[in-house]
Amino acid sequence: TAIEDGKTKGDEVSFKVTREFNNNKFVTKYSGKVSADSIKGKIEFERNGETQSREWEAKREKAK
């Protein structure tokens, strides 16, 4: 899925992702803070007209 509106400022990152399902578009906004080998942050999205959020984390995979 393509990343849109990607931004960085110091150790902070933000971007959004648009997905389509049954001809409906869903936008998810990601924001987070980079530290060592991970990014931790928040995901925001709309469901039933209400903005909801969740925590997320991405980790760099170690080379084998």
Side-chain angles (χ1 to χ4, degrees):
T1 302
I3 290 175
E4 305 164 5
D5 296 331
K7 297 178 185 162
T8 61
K9 184 176 181 181
D11 60 356
E12 296 178 4
V13 297
S14 64
F15 58 92
K16 68 180 182 179
V17 174
T18 302
R19 294 181 176 94
E20 193 169 328
F21 182 74
N22 288 338
N23 294 322
N24 293 310
K25 289 187 179 185
F26 301 93
V27 177
T28 307
K29 296 177 184 177
Y30 292 77
S31 60
K33 189 170 186 176
V34 178
S35 63
D37 290 333
S38 69
I39 303 173
K40 291 182 182 181
K42 183 168 77 169
I43 300 170
E44 290 185 334
F45 55 94
E46 276 195 31
R47 179 171 286 158
N48 299 326
E50 292 185 28
T51 300
Q52 298 190 12
S53 66
R54 291 196 177 133
E55 299 295 314
W56 72 281
E57 181 175 5
K59 294 183 179 182
R60 183 186 320 243
E61 203 172 298
K62 299 201 188 286
K64 294 180 182 183

